Amino acid sequence: QVQLVESGGGLVQPGGSLRLSCAASGFSFSSYAMSWYRQAPGKERELVATMSTTGGSTSYANSVKGRFTISRDNAKNTVYLHMNSLKPEDTAVYYCSAWVFKAYWGQGTQVTVSS
């Protein structure tokens, strides 16, 4: 079965950096686009970044453009989210997602940006 397991979240000061990882299993990882979403308290889940199967195409939410970078390692079945210049408004639970005939989600990893 499809499994997505996120890691790498934590508490970071404003201006800091984090790298999130999502280990995927149960499907042909290299054949599917991968995405990162986030959900802040009291807000709807929002799409943060998406990467195509080979990494040749990416898209980002306007709020994270220039600060976040999505990448993937198809040999390791892993997708990453590199987050720089973090702001308090980036505080949220971050989820990776894959559409494999339906949407699959990981359990999420908490990112808190606070001094």
Side-chain angles (χ1 to χ4, degrees), residues 1-64:
Q1 68 277 24
V2 174
Q3 286 194 320
L4 302 169
V5 180
E6 301 95 337
S7 61
L11 173 64
V12 63
Q13 292 187 342
S17 299
L18 279 176
R19 187 186 77 164
L20 306 183
S21 301
C22 172
S25 61
F27 64 105
S28 181
F29 179 80
S30 61
S31 297
Y32 293 89
M34 295 296 298
S35 297
W36 284 95
Y37 286 75
R38 67 185 181 186
Q39 187 166 20
K43 295 189 176 181
E44 293 188 354
R45 192 170 297 189
E46 66 169 338
L47 177 62
V48 174
T50 297
M51 174 167 270
S52 62
T53 55
T54 61
S57 177
T58 57
S59 63
Y60 297 91
N62 287 335
S63 59
V64 307

Side-chain angles (χ1 to χ4, degrees), residues 46-89:
E46 66 169 338
L47 177 62
V48 174
T50 297
M51 174 167 270
S52 62
T53 55
T54 61
S57 177
T58 57
S59 63
Y60 297 91
N62 287 335
S63 59
V64 307
K65 278 182 182 177
R67 300 187 299 120
F68 290 12
T69 303
I70 187 172
S71 65
R72 65 191 295 163
D73 185 338
N74 286 344
K76 295 182 178 179
N77 287 0
T78 301
V79 62
Y80 304 96
L81 186 67
H82 308 260
M83 306 186 294
N84 297 318
S85 302
L86 283 161
K87 304 175 181 180
E89 51 263 44

